Amino acid sequence: MNTVIPIAVDGTRQRKRQAPRGRRVDPAALDEVRTVLGHAPRRRDLLIEHLHALQDSFKCLRAEHLAALASEMNVPQAEVYEVASFYHHFDIVKEGEDAPPGLTVRVCGGLSCELAGARALLDKLPGILGTDVRVLEAPCVGRCEQAPAVVVGQHPVAQATSESVLADVLSGQTKHEPHPYTGLEEYLRDGGYALLRACLAGEHSADDVIRTMEDSGLRGLGGAGFPAGRKWRLVRAEAGPRLMAVNIDEGEPGTFKDRTYLERDPHRFLEGALVAAWAVGIDAIYIYLRDEYHGCRAILERELALLAKAPPVAGLPAIHLRRGAGAYICGEESAMIESIEGKRGMPRLRPPYVAQVGLFGRPTLEHNFETLHWVRDILTHGPEWFTQHGLNGRQGMRSFSVSGRVRDPGVKYAPAGITVRQLIDMYCGGMQDGHTFYAYLPGGASGGILPASLGDVPLDFDTLQPYGCFIGSAAVIVLSDQDRAVDAARSMMRFFRDESCGQCTPCRVGTAKALALIEQPRWNTALLGELSQVMRDASICGLGQAAPNPVDCVIRYFPQELA
């Protein structure tokens, strides 16, 4: 028998490939992957969900399991690896490497926790817990009012001390039992889903509901502030099928309002989402939940199962719960959609906008959790119920996540237009003992830093822009005379450098360069100004565009710290 040897164009001989490119699939690893996935569909958009399943089962992602997963899902190995390596919460173990310890303790390194002593915990815990426990600094775990916050496995520890963390580790307390909350039965007993029933029974028209939302003036409460009613109308005008994506990623340091409401009253949000779906003509709802919110995930899994088993009305759209994997960038609407589709969370170029071409290429109504949380009350009580509130010429109510040097941090439901000084004195019990109000971040990490001398500026959409700041998701972090704005800016820029998705050069390089410049004893303010302008003008999404805000504010309002 003659052997055919392929000849290349240049005349050299080529060997015929005996196997496809990439790692060979280990049969044992393939069996393990199939056992973990069970009967779950192998669809491409479920890649991140399947990675979570493997990580939960084996406490890491081994190279042989990634290869087997790629084979099982008929996805290139390189694609599986690039998705897994994009997200912070996936631990990839390469061939020959040791797996990480079975238990991970995450110490929040966000600004509020840093003010409360997180750095000392990070220094002390490794020596106390030993080599069988991995201690990591987390960028933010969404529990700023509980600073310093630590997560042992999946169990959050509020106002953590080395003793309380050690006690949890020794007791094996690594799961998060949900906070007591209003379940489906109680929610129905208190009149829940009556609005949804009325809508589907024809007692309200979709046009009337959308008009009420427009009249209320409710704006998106995730940070962008786009009018909710107008968004409903825009998406409804697009050709179907239409989808909804709900953002509960809440990764902005200082923000924890969505978690607080979800832990207590999940069906108020779900009813709001279902009413919006009815009004806009939505075929399916996708909920994107932050991975750190283990208790909230348990609540939603339980209540969505109950809702599917005994729906209050027939014909509800399917509701899919998707799990984030530790990437702040996925709070950006198009990056979140990419993640829901099982991809890296890279923001999309616009246009087209998400309302036109969003999830799976369909027109998509994207909303923050809290925006939908208030839909039921606004439609039940009328737009005047919402607009009658407000201070300093503003209308409506706001949920402020307040943390830092105040005596009583937490979510404060207060009139729009309230000042930070009023918020501290009337809702937070004043400053902590021995601390004097010095400065504040009005909108989390990206909202800028203002001095106490500007503590009477109304906190609302469009009121802070003249000062180089914005309210965003209303995450207020209060600093005292024992803190420095320079240190806060460095903390924020470290966060942005680590959380940049890396897609565009102005953000990827700009955040790293800005951090290097502000870590110097003396700042090159002229160079920082040029860098800030480039990042604002050329970054693809809001992360790079807003990252310079804290630095610009320090230069503008705190020159004494740079002297």
Side-chain angles (χ1 to χ4, degrees):
M1 183 175 66
N2 295 327
T3 302
V4 178
I5 302 177
I7 305 297
V9 175
D10 61 2
T12 61
R13 294 185 176 186
Q14 291 182 328
R15 291 186 177 274
K16 187 176 181 181
R17 187 175 300 282
Q18 299 299 313
R21 290 180 182 272
R23 171 184 292 274
R24 302 282 184 90
V25 176
D26 176 40
L30 185 59
D31 287 342
E32 290 175 332
V33 167
R34 287 172 174 169
T35 299
V36 169
L37 299 189
H39 297 294
R42 273 43 170 181
R43 296 197 317 267
R44 174 63 184 78
D45 62 289
L46 293 175
L47 174 57
I48 293 174
E49 296 298 307
H50 295 339
L51 289 170
H52 272 303
L54 292 174
Q55 172 94 17
D56 291 344
S57 296
F58 300 105
K59 308 304 179 186
C60 63
L61 295 175
R62 294 188 177 278
E64 59 266 28
H65 287 145
L66 293 178
L69 179 63
S71 174
E72 183 70 4
M73 297 186 67
N74 196 27
V75 175
Q77 291 185 23
E79 194 170 329
V80 172
Y81 182 83
E82 74 176 12
V83 171
S85 60
F86 180 85
Y87 296 93
H88 297 317
H89 289 184
F90 292 138
D91 295 312
I92 299 176
V93 177
K94 298 178 182 178
E95 189 173 357
E97 293 182 346
D98 293 330
L103 179 62
T104 296
V105 171
R106 286 183 165 86
V107 180
C108 180
L111 179 58
S112 299
C113 289
E114 187 176 330
L115 297 176
R119 186 59 50 188
L121 278 175
L122 279 164
D123 293 339
K124 192 173 183 180
L125 284 176
I128 294 175
L129 302 180
T131 58
D132 292 336
V133 178
R134 180 175 58 163
V135 178
L136 297 178
E137 179 178 355
C140 181
V141 297
R143 297 183 173 274
C144 314
E145 86 283 21
Q146 301 172 11
V150 172
V151 181
V152 177
Q154 295 184 354
H155 182 254
V157 183
Q159 288 84 45
T161 63
S162 55
E163 292 78 14
S164 62
V165 173
L166 178 61
D168 267 16
V169 171
L170 292 176
S171 67
Q173 181 73 12
T174 61
K175 296 294 183 182
H176 185 196
E177 288 301 318
H179 188 284
Y181 67 93
T182 300
L184 179 58
E185 183 178 351
E186 184 180 353
Y187 186 74
L188 289 169
R189 190 168 59 245
D190 293 341
Y193 291 107
L195 172 64
L196 180 64
R197 289 195 190 96
C199 289
L200 271 71
E203 297 177 27
H204 307 290
S205 71
D207 281 332
D208 287 343
V209 165
I210 293 175
R211 190 175 303 111
T212 299
M213 292 297 296
E214 290 173 329
D215 292 344
S216 73
L218 179 68
R219 295 172 65 170
L221 298 172
F226 193 87
R230 190 193 308 173
K231 184 181 286 189
W232 290 20
R233 193 174 295 281
L234 288 172
V235 178
R236 187 167 177 249
E238 298 290 329
R242 309 174 195 90
L243 302 173
M244 181 189 294
V246 182
N247 188 341
I248 322 181
D249 190 60
E250 196 172 43
E252 184 81 12
T255 308
F256 47 88
K257 60 184 176 61
D258 293 352
R259 189 209 82 233
T260 300
Y261 288 135
L262 179 54
E263 285 178 336
R264 289 158 175 76
D265 197 1
H267 286 280
R268 188 173 300 270
F269 143 69
L270 290 171
E271 183 170 11
L274 289 167
V275 168
W278 165 80
V280 178
I282 298 295
D283 285 22
I285 300 171
Y286 289 79
I287 299 173
Y288 189 82
L289 180 66
R290 187 177 187 182
D291 191 35
E292 290 89 343
Y293 290 173
H294 305 290
C296 292
R297 187 167 65 253
I299 289 172
L300 281 175
E301 287 174 345
R302 183 181 305 164
E303 296 307 312
L304 288 174
L306 292 173
L307 200 61
K309 184 178 180 181
V313 291
L316 296 182
I319 302 178
H320 306 278
L321 179 61
R322 293 295 173 86
R323 181 177 171 183
Y328 166 71
I329 190 62
C330 290
E332 196 274 340
E333 61 177 8
S334 65
M336 176 189 68
I337 284 174
E338 290 285 298
S339 191
I340 292 174
E341 293 180 355
K343 306 172 187 174
R344 295 175 296 168
M346 296 278 197
R348 297 176 179 177
L349 294 172
R350 288 168 286 189
Y353 296 95
V354 165
Q356 303 163 311
V357 182
L359 189 57
F360 304 120
R362 303 309 312 167
T364 301
L365 178 66
E366 190 277 340
H367 265 314
N368 165 259
F369 165 89
E370 196 203 348
T371 311
L372 297 167
H373 180 84
W374 297 116
V375 165
R376 173 189 160 182
D377 286 335
I378 290 173
L379 293 178
T380 300
H381 303 299
E384 298 80 9
W385 169 83
F386 188 73
T387 58
Q388 68 181 340
H389 301 285
L391 293 173
N392 300 311
R394 312 302 294 180
Q395 288 186 327
M397 297 289 288
R398 296 285 177 270
S399 300
F400 296 91
S401 303
V402 187
S403 61
R405 301 297 193 179
V406 295
R407 184 175 284 116
D408 181 24
V411 175
K412 311 300 178 181
Y413 190 52
I418 194 171
T419 69
V420 70
R421 209 178 297 277
Q422 292 171 319
L423 195 62
I424 293 170
D425 294 338
M426 298 167 58
Y427 288 83
C428 300
M431 297 291 291
Q432 293 175 357
D433 293 340
H435 292 265
T436 301
F437 179 37
Y438 172 68
Y440 67 107
L441 286 73
S446 56
I449 309 174
L450 292 176
S453 60
L454 292 176
D456 295 319
V457 176
L459 295 176
D460 197 15
F461 297 112
D462 310 320
T463 60
L464 295 161
Q465 278 84 338
Y467 304 94
C469 297
F470 58 82
I471 192 169
S473 58
V476 179
I477 305 175
V478 179
L479 306 181
S480 79
D481 56 343
Q482 299 185 27
D483 309 312
R484 298 200 313 155
V486 164
D487 295 331
R490 287 170 177 154
S491 175
M492 298 299 99
M493 195 56 72
R494 279 194 296 271
F495 174 81
F496 291 131
R497 178 201 61 185
D498 295 342
E499 294 298 327
S500 173
C501 74
Q503 180 178 191
C504 68
T505 303
C507 179
R508 181 183 68 252
V509 177
T511 52
K513 180 63 175 178
L515 179 60
L517 288 171
I518 66 175
E519 284 181 334
Q520 300 301 314
R522 296 187 66 84
W523 289 14
N524 186 335
T525 55
L527 185 56
L528 282 167
E530 293 178 12
L531 181 59
S532 170
Q533 194 61 51
V534 170
M535 293 174 68
R536 294 182 191 283
D537 290 344
S539 294
I540 290 175
C541 80
L543 192 156
Q545 295 162 10
N549 283 344
V551 175
D552 291 349
C553 285
V554 168
I555 295 171
R556 181 176 179 182
Y557 298 113
F558 301 92
Q560 72 279 5
E561 294 191 18
L562 302 177

